[in-house]
Structures are given as structure tokens and as C-alpha cells.
Amino acid sequence: MALVCSSTLSSILSLQSHHLLLDSQTSTTPFRSSFLFINTDNSFSLVCHAKKKLTFFDQILDYIEGGPKLRKWYGAPDLLPKDDTNTQDEEDDYPEDEIRDAVLVTDGDSEMGQMVILSLIVKRTRIKALVKDKRAALEAFGTYVESMTGDTSDNQFLKKALRGVRTIICPNEGFLSNVGSLQGVQHIILLSQQLSVYSGKSGIQSMMKSNAKKLAEQDESVLKSSGIPYTIIRTGAFQDTAGGNQGFTFDQGCAASGSISKEDAAFVCVQALDCVPQSGFIFEVANGQNQVSDWKQCLTALMEKPNQ
């Protein structure tokens, strides 16, 4: 039997269980503070017991250390050899008609970046990620993520990073302000954390947030002038709470006055993949009372509102 449960992964699976069937042999029953066992006959056993509440950083550590278990659960091959022979970049000649089916996550080793990556893994998406520590990313996510390390202001590296990329998800500020051409990309999703909240800060808080606000403003400006279809998601203040326990609100002003679980914010980013606007789409979201059963329908309706 193989132990395959971590608290963060379980909450994300719980969050998505109403929308996805992982495969014909995978249970979609939500579980939390539990251990899921895969028996030798491919049956499942769920053993529940109480345990102390983990901090957010404990949860991050849980799913980083749970990488090998996650790969075993999904049937992925082992990590590449330690000499890193097979992780070298390929030649630079890319066909003009290359298939673009990958999602590139910027800042992939940040808290939000890793949350987004986990949601993409559950969605069975081809994932590329910009990271600072390539070996750590391999240990965490294995072959489910093509991790890349380099200077995004270097056009040659950027070209390699964007090979096969259809959509870019930016979970933090700063990426768009420092890159050159994004030719070939068909959709950019920016988690704008979150101009309305930054604008409401005063005193010391305002000074602490001023750089983040500046980067957010620069990113949004670059994005709006890029000519690439974009989605800007403005969220309420981030909370270190488990996702999937609350509904949502999209009311105007909710970003400034509300809050949202980080896991829920990552989940919303991934749902936005299936709703590509003609040009630009900006919406606010926070945790609320509304339960969303069809995210594509929900986001399409928001997109069609006159004030969007």
C-alpha cells in the first residue's frame, strides 16, 4: 500500500471534486485530515483521524515533501538522473506550426505559484514553470512540471521558456514588467494581488506595499498594451486557510473589502484558462456565499456584463 495524502493536496482535490473525474480508478470523494491508501488491487481505503491544525508553511512543506507520493499516485515515472543529463535545453530551432498546449507559471516556486501548479496537475494540464531552484522543483513535482531557470530579460531564454506555451499564469507581480516579446502566447492570466487592497493601505503599511503596488500597476499597463488577450483577477486579501470550504462573490468592490483563501485564488486562476476573452477581461473575486457549479458559464456571464 502507498500513502498518498497531504493536507494541501487534499483540500485542492476536495475543491475540484465537483468538476473533475481524475480517471476511472481514482476516487473523487473529498477528504481532509485523512490518509488515502491505494491497495494492491487498485481499491481505495480512506482512514480518517483528527490531527492538529497545520500552519500554511507546514502545508507547503507537506506537499513539497509529498512530491514522490503524488507522482506515484498518478503513475508518473521516477525523477530524472542526478547528473541532470536529460534536463538540458533542446536546440533553438522551433517549428512555426508547433503545438501550443502548455501553461507557463511564472514565479513557480513561490507560495502562490506552487498552489497554481498543484491545481494544474489535478486538471491534467501540460505545465512549464519559471523557478529559482530547478532541482527542488524536480523533487517536488517531478515530470509533471517542466521547470526552467534563467533570466527572463534574456530573449534567448525567454524564447525557450515560451516554446509550446498557450497561456501564461502570473501569480505574482513583476514578470510582465521585465520581459520582452511574448509572441505566440494566446492568453495571459494575471493575479493582480491586488491594486484595490494596496490603494487602501496607509502609513507604514502603505510604504511596505508601495513597491508591490508599483509592480502591479506596471504589469497591468504592459498587459493592456500587449495586444494579447488577457484576464486580470483582482482578489480580496489572501488568507492562509484551506480552500473549498466557502463560496465566492464577484461583486464590485469585493476585492477591497473581502478576503479569499490562497488555495481558492489559485483555483480561480486555473478555471480562467477555459474562458479566453476577445481582448481584455478584468473581474474581482473574494470568498462569499455563492456556490459556482459551472465556472466557464460564470466567467462568461461576468465577461458579458457592461462594466467588465
Side-chain angles (χ1 to χ4, degrees), residues 121-167:
I121 289 175
V122 174
K123 194 176 175 67
R124 293 188 177 279
T125 303
R126 181 186 166 206
I127 309 164
K128 301 181 76 172
L130 299 177
V131 299
K132 296 180 179 67
D133 189 334
K134 191 171 182 178
R135 175 54 60 183
L138 280 169
E139 292 290 343
F141 300 113
T143 55
Y144 284 103
V145 179
E146 182 183 344
S147 302
M148 306 189 72
T149 302
D151 182 1
T152 54
S153 64
D154 180 345
N155 289 333
Q156 194 67 15
F157 171 74
L158 186 62
K159 181 181 178 182
K160 291 180 181 180
L162 294 178
R163 182 182 181 184
V165 170
R166 178 185 78 250
T167 303

Short mmCIF file of all heavy atoms in Angstrom, two decimals, residues 121-167:
data_model
loop_
_atom_site.label_atom_id
_atom_site.label_comp_id
_atom_site.label_asym_id
_atom_site.label_seq_id
_atom_site.Cartn_x
_atom_site.Cartn_y
_atom_site.Cartn_z
N ILE A 121 -1.94 20.43 -12.03
CA ILE A 121 -1.68 18.99 -12.05
C ILE A 121 -2.98 18.22 -11.95
O ILE A 121 -3.21 17.25 -12.68
CB ILE A 121 -0.72 18.60 -10.90
CG1 ILE A 121 0.70 19.11 -11.19
CG2 ILE A 121 -0.70 17.09 -10.71
CD1 ILE A 121 1.68 18.90 -10.07
N VAL A 122 -3.86 18.65 -11.04
CA VAL A 122 -5.15 17.98 -10.89
C VAL A 122 -5.97 18.09 -12.18
O VAL A 122 -6.69 17.18 -12.55
CB VAL A 122 -5.93 18.57 -9.69
CG1 VAL A 122 -7.33 18.00 -9.60
CG2 VAL A 122 -5.18 18.29 -8.39
N LYS A 123 -5.82 19.20 -12.89
CA LYS A 123 -6.54 19.43 -14.15
C LYS A 123 -5.89 18.67 -15.31
O LYS A 123 -6.41 18.67 -16.42
CB LYS A 123 -6.56 20.93 -14.45
CG LYS A 123 -7.54 21.37 -15.53
CD LYS A 123 -7.54 22.89 -15.66
CE LYS A 123 -8.41 23.37 -16.82
NZ LYS A 123 -9.84 23.10 -16.55
N ARG A 124 -4.76 18.04 -15.04
CA ARG A 124 -4.00 17.28 -16.05
C ARG A 124 -3.59 18.17 -17.23
O ARG A 124 -3.82 17.87 -18.40
CB ARG A 124 -4.82 16.08 -16.54
CG ARG A 124 -5.04 15.03 -15.47
CD ARG A 124 -5.67 13.78 -16.03
NE ARG A 124 -5.82 12.75 -15.02
CZ ARG A 124 -4.89 11.92 -14.59
NH1 ARG A 124 -3.67 12.01 -15.09
NH2 ARG A 124 -5.14 11.01 -13.67
N THR A 125 -2.99 19.28 -16.88
CA THR A 125 -2.52 20.25 -17.86
C THR A 125 -1.02 20.09 -18.06
O THR A 125 -0.29 19.76 -17.12
CB THR A 125 -2.81 21.68 -17.36
OG1 THR A 125 -4.20 21.81 -17.10
CG2 THR A 125 -2.39 22.72 -18.38
N ARG A 126 -0.54 20.31 -19.27
CA ARG A 126 0.89 20.35 -19.51
C ARG A 126 1.42 21.64 -18.90
O ARG A 126 0.95 22.73 -19.22
CB ARG A 126 1.21 20.30 -21.00
CG ARG A 126 2.71 20.31 -21.30
CD ARG A 126 2.97 20.41 -22.79
NE ARG A 126 4.36 20.74 -23.03
CZ ARG A 126 4.82 21.35 -24.12
NH1 ARG A 126 3.98 21.68 -25.08
NH2 ARG A 126 6.10 21.63 -24.25
N ILE A 127 2.42 21.53 -18.01
CA ILE A 127 2.85 22.67 -17.20
C ILE A 127 4.33 22.96 -17.43
O ILE A 127 5.17 22.06 -17.40
CB ILE A 127 2.63 22.39 -15.70
CG1 ILE A 127 1.21 21.93 -15.43
CG2 ILE A 127 2.97 23.62 -14.87
CD1 ILE A 127 1.03 21.29 -14.07
N LYS A 128 4.64 24.24 -17.62
CA LYS A 128 6.00 24.73 -17.56
C LYS A 128 6.05 25.76 -16.44
O LYS A 128 5.05 26.43 -16.16
CB LYS A 128 6.42 25.36 -18.89
CG LYS A 128 6.33 24.40 -20.07
CD LYS A 128 6.76 25.05 -21.37
CE LYS A 128 8.26 25.19 -21.47
NZ LYS A 128 8.71 25.64 -22.81
N ALA A 129 7.19 25.90 -15.79
CA ALA A 129 7.28 26.82 -14.66
C ALA A 129 8.66 27.48 -14.63
O ALA A 129 9.68 26.83 -14.85
CB ALA A 129 7.02 26.10 -13.35
N LEU A 130 8.66 28.77 -14.34
CA LEU A 130 9.90 29.50 -14.11
C LEU A 130 10.20 29.43 -12.62
O LEU A 130 9.38 29.84 -11.79
CB LEU A 130 9.75 30.95 -14.55
CG LEU A 130 9.44 31.17 -16.04
CD1 LEU A 130 9.24 32.65 -16.33
CD2 LEU A 130 10.56 30.60 -16.91
N VAL A 131 11.37 28.89 -12.27
CA VAL A 131 11.72 28.69 -10.87
C VAL A 131 13.15 29.17 -10.62
O VAL A 131 13.93 29.34 -11.55
CB VAL A 131 11.60 27.20 -10.47
CG1 VAL A 131 10.16 26.71 -10.65
CG2 VAL A 131 12.56 26.33 -11.28
N LYS A 132 13.46 29.34 -9.36
CA LYS A 132 14.82 29.72 -8.98
C LYS A 132 15.68 28.48 -8.71
O LYS A 132 16.89 28.50 -8.91
CB LYS A 132 14.79 30.61 -7.73
CG LYS A 132 14.10 31.94 -7.94
CD LYS A 132 14.11 32.76 -6.66
CE LYS A 132 13.44 34.12 -6.86
NZ LYS A 132 11.99 33.98 -7.12
N ASP A 133 15.06 27.41 -8.24
CA ASP A 133 15.77 26.18 -7.89
C ASP A 133 15.18 25.02 -8.69
O ASP A 133 14.14 24.45 -8.32
CB ASP A 133 15.65 25.91 -6.39
CG ASP A 133 16.56 24.78 -5.92
OD1 ASP A 133 16.88 23.89 -6.73
OD2 ASP A 133 16.92 24.76 -4.72
N LYS A 134 15.83 24.66 -9.78
CA LYS A 134 15.31 23.63 -10.68
C LYS A 134 15.29 22.26 -10.02
O LYS A 134 14.35 21.48 -10.18
CB LYS A 134 16.17 23.60 -11.95
CG LYS A 134 15.59 22.76 -13.07
CD LYS A 134 16.42 22.98 -14.32
CE LYS A 134 15.85 22.20 -15.50
NZ LYS A 134 16.64 22.45 -16.74
N ARG A 135 16.32 21.94 -9.25
CA ARG A 135 16.38 20.62 -8.59
C ARG A 135 15.27 20.49 -7.56
O ARG A 135 14.63 19.44 -7.45
CB ARG A 135 17.75 20.43 -7.93
CG ARG A 135 17.90 19.14 -7.12
CD ARG A 135 17.53 17.91 -7.91
NE ARG A 135 18.35 17.73 -9.09
CZ ARG A 135 18.17 16.75 -9.96
NH1 ARG A 135 17.18 15.88 -9.79
NH2 ARG A 135 18.94 16.64 -11.02
N ALA A 136 15.01 21.55 -6.79
CA ALA A 136 13.93 21.50 -5.79
C ALA A 136 12.58 21.30 -6.47
O ALA A 136 11.72 20.58 -5.98
CB ALA A 136 13.92 22.77 -4.96
N ALA A 137 12.39 21.96 -7.63
CA ALA A 137 11.13 21.80 -8.36
C ALA A 137 10.98 20.38 -8.87
O ALA A 137 9.88 19.80 -8.85
CB ALA A 137 11.08 22.79 -9.52
N LEU A 138 12.08 19.77 -9.33
CA LEU A 138 12.04 18.38 -9.78
C LEU A 138 11.68 17.44 -8.63
O LEU A 138 10.90 16.50 -8.78
CB LEU A 138 13.39 17.97 -10.38
CG LEU A 138 13.65 18.42 -11.82
CD1 LEU A 138 15.11 18.20 -12.18
CD2 LEU A 138 12.75 17.69 -12.79
N GLU A 139 12.26 17.70 -7.47
CA GLU A 139 11.97 16.87 -6.31
C GLU A 139 10.51 17.01 -5.89
O GLU A 139 9.88 16.05 -5.45
CB GLU A 139 12.88 17.26 -5.13
CG GLU A 139 14.34 16.93 -5.32
CD GLU A 139 14.62 15.44 -5.28
OE1 GLU A 139 13.75 14.68 -4.80
OE2 GLU A 139 15.70 15.03 -5.73
N ALA A 140 9.97 18.21 -6.05
CA ALA A 140 8.59 18.46 -5.62
C ALA A 140 7.57 17.90 -6.60
O ALA A 140 6.60 17.26 -6.21
CB ALA A 140 8.36 19.96 -5.42
N PHE A 141 7.77 18.14 -7.90
CA PHE A 141 6.73 17.84 -8.88
C PHE A 141 7.14 16.86 -9.97
O PHE A 141 6.30 16.45 -10.77
CB PHE A 141 6.24 19.14 -9.53
CG PHE A 141 5.68 20.12 -8.54
CD1 PHE A 141 6.32 21.32 -8.29
CD2 PHE A 141 4.51 19.83 -7.85
CE1 PHE A 141 5.80 22.23 -7.38
CE2 PHE A 141 3.99 20.72 -6.94
CZ PHE A 141 4.63 21.92 -6.70
N GLY A 142 8.42 16.50 -10.03
CA GLY A 142 8.86 15.51 -10.99
C GLY A 142 8.55 15.89 -12.43
O GLY A 142 8.65 17.05 -12.82
N THR A 143 8.15 14.90 -13.21
CA THR A 143 7.95 15.10 -14.64
C THR A 143 6.62 15.78 -14.96
O THR A 143 6.32 16.02 -16.13
CB THR A 143 8.01 13.76 -15.38
OG1 THR A 143 7.05 12.87 -14.79
CG2 THR A 143 9.39 13.16 -15.27
N TYR A 144 5.81 16.09 -13.96
CA TYR A 144 4.57 16.81 -14.22
C TYR A 144 4.80 18.28 -14.56
O TYR A 144 3.92 18.93 -15.09
CB TYR A 144 3.63 16.71 -13.02
CG TYR A 144 2.97 15.36 -12.95
CD1 TYR A 144 3.40 14.42 -12.03
CD2 TYR A 144 1.96 15.02 -13.83
CE1 TYR A 144 2.83 13.16 -11.99
CE2 TYR A 144 1.39 13.77 -13.80
CZ TYR A 144 1.82 12.83 -12.86
OH TYR A 144 1.27 11.59 -12.84
N VAL A 145 5.98 18.78 -14.24
CA VAL A 145 6.29 20.18 -14.49
C VAL A 145 7.64 20.28 -15.18
O VAL A 145 8.62 19.69 -14.73
CB VAL A 145 6.33 20.99 -13.17
CG1 VAL A 145 6.66 22.45 -13.46
CG2 VAL A 145 5.00 20.89 -12.43
N GLU A 146 7.69 21.01 -16.30
CA GLU A 146 8.96 21.30 -16.95
C GLU A 146 9.49 22.59 -16.34
O GLU A 146 9.04 23.69 -16.67
CB GLU A 146 8.78 21.45 -18.46
CG GLU A 146 10.08 21.71 -19.19
CD GLU A 146 9.89 21.94 -20.68
OE1 GLU A 146 8.80 21.61 -21.20
OE2 GLU A 146 10.83 22.47 -21.32
N SER A 147 10.42 22.45 -15.41
CA SER A 147 10.93 23.61 -14.67
C SER A 147 12.10 24.24 -15.41
O SER A 147 12.97 23.54 -15.94
CB SER A 147 11.38 23.18 -13.27
OG SER A 147 10.30 22.59 -12.58
N MET A 148 12.13 25.56 -15.43
CA MET A 148 13.17 26.29 -16.14
C MET A 148 13.72 27.40 -15.27
O MET A 148 12.97 28.09 -14.56
CB MET A 148 12.61 26.87 -17.44
CG MET A 148 11.93 25.85 -18.34
SD MET A 148 11.52 26.51 -19.97
CE MET A 148 13.14 26.63 -20.71
N THR A 149 15.04 27.55 -15.32
CA THR A 149 15.72 28.59 -14.54
C THR A 149 16.53 29.47 -15.48
O THR A 149 17.29 28.96 -16.30
CB THR A 149 16.66 27.96 -13.50
OG1 THR A 149 15.91 27.10 -12.65
CG2 THR A 149 17.33 29.03 -12.66
N GLY A 150 16.34 30.78 -15.36
CA GLY A 150 17.10 31.69 -16.22
C GLY A 150 16.62 33.11 -16.08
O GLY A 150 15.72 33.42 -15.30
N ASP A 151 17.20 33.98 -16.86
CA ASP A 151 16.90 35.40 -16.84
C ASP A 151 15.85 35.70 -17.91
O ASP A 151 16.12 35.59 -19.11
CB ASP A 151 18.17 36.20 -17.10
CG ASP A 151 17.96 37.71 -17.05
OD1 ASP A 151 16.81 38.14 -16.80
OD2 ASP A 151 18.93 38.45 -17.28
N THR A 152 14.65 36.09 -17.48
CA THR A 152 13.57 36.32 -18.44
C THR A 152 13.78 37.58 -19.28
O THR A 152 13.05 37.80 -20.25
CB THR A 152 12.21 36.42 -17.72
OG1 THR A 152 12.28 37.41 -16.68
CG2 THR A 152 11.84 35.08 -17.11
N SER A 153 14.74 38.41 -18.91
CA SER A 153 15.07 39.56 -19.75
C SER A 153 15.99 39.17 -20.91
O SER A 153 16.24 39.96 -21.82
CB SER A 153 15.74 40.67 -18.92
OG SER A 153 16.98 40.23 -18.40
N ASP A 154 16.50 37.92 -20.86
CA ASP A 154 17.31 37.36 -21.94
C ASP A 154 16.37 36.78 -22.99
O ASP A 154 15.66 35.80 -22.72
CB ASP A 154 18.23 36.27 -21.37
CG ASP A 154 19.12 35.64 -22.43
OD1 ASP A 154 18.85 35.81 -23.63
OD2 ASP A 154 20.06 34.93 -22.05
N ASN A 155 16.36 37.35 -24.18
CA ASN A 155 15.43 36.93 -25.22
C ASN A 155 15.58 35.47 -25.60
O ASN A 155 14.59 34.80 -25.92
CB ASN A 155 15.59 37.82 -26.47
CG ASN A 155 15.07 39.21 -26.24
OD1 ASN A 155 14.19 39.44 -25.42
ND2 ASN A 155 15.62 40.18 -26.98
N GLN A 156 16.82 34.97 -25.58
CA GLN A 156 17.05 33.57 -25.95
C GLN A 156 16.41 32.64 -24.92
O GLN A 156 15.76 31.65 -25.28
CB GLN A 156 18.56 33.29 -26.06
CG GLN A 156 18.90 31.98 -26.74
CD GLN A 156 18.53 31.99 -28.22
OE1 GLN A 156 18.27 33.04 -28.80
NE2 GLN A 156 18.51 30.81 -28.84
N PHE A 157 16.60 32.95 -23.64
CA PHE A 157 15.97 32.12 -22.60
C PHE A 157 14.45 32.24 -22.65
O PHE A 157 13.74 31.24 -22.51
CB PHE A 157 16.47 32.52 -21.21
CG PHE A 157 15.71 31.85 -20.10
CD1 PHE A 157 15.92 30.51 -19.81
CD2 PHE A 157 14.75 32.54 -19.37
CE1 PHE A 157 15.21 29.88 -18.80
CE2 PHE A 157 14.03 31.92 -18.37
CZ PHE A 157 14.25 30.57 -18.08
N LEU A 158 13.96 33.45 -22.85
CA LEU A 158 12.52 33.65 -22.90
C LEU A 158 11.90 32.86 -24.05
O LEU A 158 10.82 32.27 -23.91
CB LEU A 158 12.21 35.14 -23.06
CG LEU A 158 10.73 35.53 -23.00
CD1 LEU A 158 10.13 35.18 -21.64
CD2 LEU A 158 10.56 37.02 -23.28
N LYS A 159 12.59 32.80 -25.17
CA LYS A 159 12.10 32.04 -26.33
C LYS A 159 11.97 30.56 -25.97
O LYS A 159 10.98 29.91 -26.31
CB LYS A 159 13.04 32.23 -27.51
CG LYS A 159 12.61 31.49 -28.77
CD LYS A 159 13.61 31.72 -29.90
CE LYS A 159 13.21 30.94 -31.15
NZ LYS A 159 14.20 31.12 -32.25
N LYS A 160 12.97 30.04 -25.24
CA LYS A 160 12.90 28.64 -24.82
C LYS A 160 11.77 28.42 -23.83
O LYS A 160 11.04 27.42 -23.89
CB LYS A 160 14.24 28.22 -24.18
CG LYS A 160 15.40 28.15 -25.15
CD LYS A 160 16.68 27.73 -24.44
CE LYS A 160 17.84 27.67 -25.40
NZ LYS A 160 19.11 27.26 -24.72
N ALA A 161 11.61 29.36 -22.91
CA ALA A 161 10.58 29.21 -21.89
C ALA A 161 9.18 29.22 -22.51
O ALA A 161 8.27 28.54 -22.03
CB ALA A 161 10.69 30.33 -20.86
N LEU A 162 9.01 29.98 -23.59
CA LEU A 162 7.69 30.13 -24.21
C LEU A 162 7.41 29.08 -25.27
O LEU A 162 6.32 29.07 -25.85
CB LEU A 162 7.56 31.52 -24.84
CG LEU A 162 7.55 32.70 -23.87
CD1 LEU A 162 7.46 34.02 -24.63
CD2 LEU A 162 6.40 32.59 -22.87
N ARG A 163 8.36 28.19 -25.51
CA ARG A 163 8.13 27.16 -26.52
C ARG A 163 6.92 26.29 -26.13
O ARG A 163 6.87 25.71 -25.06
CB ARG A 163 9.36 26.27 -26.68
CG ARG A 163 9.18 25.22 -27.77
CD ARG A 163 10.37 24.31 -27.91
NE ARG A 163 10.15 23.36 -28.99
CZ ARG A 163 10.98 22.37 -29.31
NH1 ARG A 163 12.10 22.22 -28.62
NH2 ARG A 163 10.71 21.55 -30.30
N GLY A 164 5.93 26.21 -27.01
CA GLY A 164 4.76 25.39 -26.78
C GLY A 164 3.76 25.97 -25.80
O GLY A 164 2.78 25.31 -25.44
N VAL A 165 3.97 27.21 -25.37
CA VAL A 165 3.11 27.81 -24.34
C VAL A 165 1.90 28.49 -24.99
O VAL A 165 2.06 29.33 -25.88
CB VAL A 165 3.88 28.82 -23.48
CG1 VAL A 165 2.94 29.62 -22.60
CG2 VAL A 165 4.91 28.09 -22.63
N ARG A 166 0.72 28.12 -24.53
CA ARG A 166 -0.52 28.75 -24.98
C ARG A 166 -0.92 29.89 -24.03
O ARG A 166 -1.31 30.97 -24.45
CB ARG A 166 -1.64 27.72 -25.02
CG ARG A 166 -3.00 28.29 -25.44
CD ARG A 166 -4.11 27.24 -25.35
NE ARG A 166 -4.55 27.04 -23.96
CZ ARG A 166 -4.33 25.96 -23.25
NH1 ARG A 166 -3.65 24.96 -23.76
NH2 ARG A 166 -4.78 25.85 -22.01
N THR A 167 -0.80 29.63 -22.72
CA THR A 167 -1.27 30.57 -21.71
C THR A 167 -0.19 30.78 -20.66
O THR A 167 0.50 29.84 -20.27
CB THR A 167 -2.55 30.06 -21.02
OG1 THR A 167 -3.55 29.83 -22.01
CG2 THR A 167 -3.07 31.06 -20.01
#
